[in-house]
Amino acid sequence: MSKFLATVFLCLWAGSLSADVLQTSAGPVQVSKVAEGLDTPWAVGILPDGSFLVTERDGDLLYVSKGKARRVKGAPKVAANGQGGLLDVTVAKNFQRTREIFLTFSKPQKGGAGTALAVARLSEAGDRLTNSRVIFEAVPGGSGGRHFGSRVVEAPDGKLFVTIGDRGDRPQAQNRSNHMGTVIRINRDGTVPANNPFVGQSDIRPEIWSYGHRNPQGAGLDGRGNLWLSEHGARGGDEVNRIKPGANYGWPVISYGVHYSGDKIGEGTSKPGMEQPEHYWDPSIAPSGLVVYSGKLWPEWRGNLFVGSLKFDYIARLSGSNLREVEQIKGPETERVRDIVEAPDGSIWFISVGQGAIYRMVPAS
């Protein structure tokens, strides 16, 4: 089936497609398919009226509303190579006034590609992006197709966090003269906030908020505005980190994993001046999307983290003052979970790359 024909078969809302019931610690939940026929979906952004946007890694942005899907014209040109392409989509908090969305993608650059952030205005009909502009791009570009990171999160104060992987060049995650292996923080117009931790320091990129990251593909805010990341380790050592400004998260000097060859990584599992993860997995689960749940539909899950697993096909629920995985939500629908978000009504939406579909999870009636 061509990508164009596949979009024709997208459907919307619970009840229009099959639903299943999964058992969880909070009781049975209904998991309903809200879109299918997707080609390597990467992220979903839910709009205030219940319609939604979906990115496909090869470069398509889709708008789904009232049972119909259409391609959105004007999406940025991407370097669709390896793990690169059109990646995250985040709906601006003031969307109802501005109609702005944020997109991360692998931008073609001299020598390869780098993670970039664009902001654009979605037309009223949902069929076109206008006033699209790149407000940040990581430098330097890299020739490989690995580790773009690429989640974008809008903080309560309107600042933007973007995660950037090490691009497969491990030592660069400790080199603050470039953006590899960092979380950056910028204003909505792309300028650098004056209170970023490294502003004014020579040979350090002023956008950097934290560094020493390998490939953070999940990011979300808790109720206090703290940023949390899920990060890919190598063989073992996948991490969940609570991000602090100016902090060094250790890659590749410390890790709880080993190289794929089995060789030791760096200097061990700890070193002064480097942060410890809040939780780590060994063996690796290949964590992707992350959300800190509000408790709107499931009060017992308030403040819990939900992280998708690409490797073991489940949604991990993490809880506790000493954060740990306490539950695995698993079914045919959770095949290679790439993104996971909370909708305004408290329902949990997630992308299954393996199924080429998006699902919506609510308490079973």
Side-chain angles (χ1 to χ4, degrees), residues 110-169:
K110 183 179 180 180
T115 302
L117 172 67
V119 60
R121 182 180 175 87
L122 181 68
S123 66
E124 293 286 344
D127 62 346
R128 182 178 297 275
L129 296 181
T130 61
N131 196 26
S132 179
R133 57 215 184 269
V134 174
I135 60 173
F136 169 82
E137 60 181 283
V139 293
S143 60
R146 293 188 293 157
H147 299 182
F148 289 91
S150 214
R151 291 293 175 191
V152 54
V153 175
E154 184 181 3
D157 63 2
K159 303 295 191 292
L160 300 172
F161 295 107
V162 181
T163 70
I164 303 167
D166 68 3
R167 302 291 282 105
D169 189 351

Side-chain angles (χ1 to χ4, degrees), residues 241-293:
N241 285 301
R242 185 169 68 87
I243 302 306
K244 297 183 288 188
N248 180 355
Y249 288 83
W251 178 258
V253 180
I254 61 172
S255 174
Y256 283 89
V258 296
H259 291 300
Y260 295 115
S261 64
D263 292 341
K264 178 182 176 181
I265 293 173
E267 301 177 17
T269 59
S270 65
K271 186 174 182 176
M274 295 184 177
E275 301 295 318
Q276 285 292 297
E278 299 291 330
H279 176 78
Y280 72 90
W281 285 277
D282 188 10
S284 294
I285 69 165
S288 193
L290 175 152
V291 68
V292 185
Y293 187 63

Side-chain angles (χ1 to χ4, degrees), residues 2-23:
S2 72
K3 289 178 67 178
F4 175 77
L5 289 177
T7 64
V8 174
F9 293 97
L10 288 163
C11 296
L12 183 63
W13 301 127
S16 63
L17 293 172
S18 60
D20 196 5
V21 174
L22 301 179
Q23 298 301 319

Side-chain angles (χ1 to χ4, degrees), residues 73-195:
K73 296 179 181 178
K77 181 181 179 181
V78 306
N81 174 34
Q83 297 169 2
L86 185 59
L87 302 172
D88 206 10
V89 56
T90 294
V91 178
K93 295 182 185 300
N94 62 359
F95 176 85
Q96 289 181 303
R97 179 172 61 84
T98 66
R99 297 197 64 81
E100 285 188 337
I101 65 168
F102 307 106
L103 294 165
T104 63
F105 61 104
S106 54
K107 182 179 183 292
Q109 296 174 328
K110 183 179 180 180
T115 302
L117 172 67
V119 60
R121 182 180 175 87
L122 181 68
S123 66
E124 293 286 344
D127 62 346
R128 182 178 297 275
L129 296 181
T130 61
N131 196 26
S132 179
R133 57 215 184 269
V134 174
I135 60 173
F136 169 82
E137 60 181 283
V139 293
S143 60
R146 293 188 293 157
H147 299 182
F148 289 91
S150 214
R151 291 293 175 191
V152 54
V153 175
E154 184 181 3
D157 63 2
K159 303 295 191 292
L160 300 172
F161 295 107
V162 181
T163 70
I164 303 167
D166 68 3
R167 302 291 282 105
D169 189 351
R170 294 187 295 268
Q172 297 307 313
Q174 293 292 320
N175 179 2
R176 289 170 290 170
S177 69
N178 64 53
H179 294 116
M180 295 181 186
T182 67
V183 174
I184 65 104
R185 177 180 179 253
I186 57 173
N187 295 312
R188 284 275 293 263
D189 62 359
T191 58
V192 177
N195 61 347

Side-chain angles (χ1 to χ4, degrees), residues 22-39:
L22 301 179
Q23 298 301 319
T24 74
S25 61
V29 299
Q30 180 176 292
V31 180
S32 302
K33 188 183 294 181
V34 298
E36 64 180 358
L38 297 165
D39 184 359

Side-chain angles (χ1 to χ4, degrees), residues 230-346:
S230 57
E231 309 194 28
H232 287 254
R235 205 171 99 191
D238 293 346
E239 296 181 355
V240 173
N241 285 301
R242 185 169 68 87
I243 302 306
K244 297 183 288 188
N248 180 355
Y249 288 83
W251 178 258
V253 180
I254 61 172
S255 174
Y256 283 89
V258 296
H259 291 300
Y260 295 115
S261 64
D263 292 341
K264 178 182 176 181
I265 293 173
E267 301 177 17
T269 59
S270 65
K271 186 174 182 176
M274 295 184 177
E275 301 295 318
Q276 285 292 297
E278 299 291 330
H279 176 78
Y280 72 90
W281 285 277
D282 188 10
S284 294
I285 69 165
S288 193
L290 175 152
V291 68
V292 185
Y293 187 63
S294 72
K296 197 165 189 177
L297 294 183
W298 294 279
E300 57 268 62
W301 287 348
R302 181 175 290 109
N304 288 190
L305 278 69
F306 290 81
V307 178
S309 168
L310 291 162
K311 182 176 181 181
F312 293 127
D313 303 332
Y314 69 88
I315 296 171
R317 182 172 70 84
L318 298 98
S319 182
S321 54
N322 293 319
L323 192 70
R324 63 187 181 92
E325 182 183 288
V326 296
E327 183 173 11
Q328 296 179 359
I329 298 172
K330 186 166 186 171
E333 299 85 355
T334 60
E335 184 181 0
R336 287 185 58 78
V337 177
R338 171 66 73 183
D339 195 17
I340 182 165
V341 299
E342 180 180 347
D345 65 359

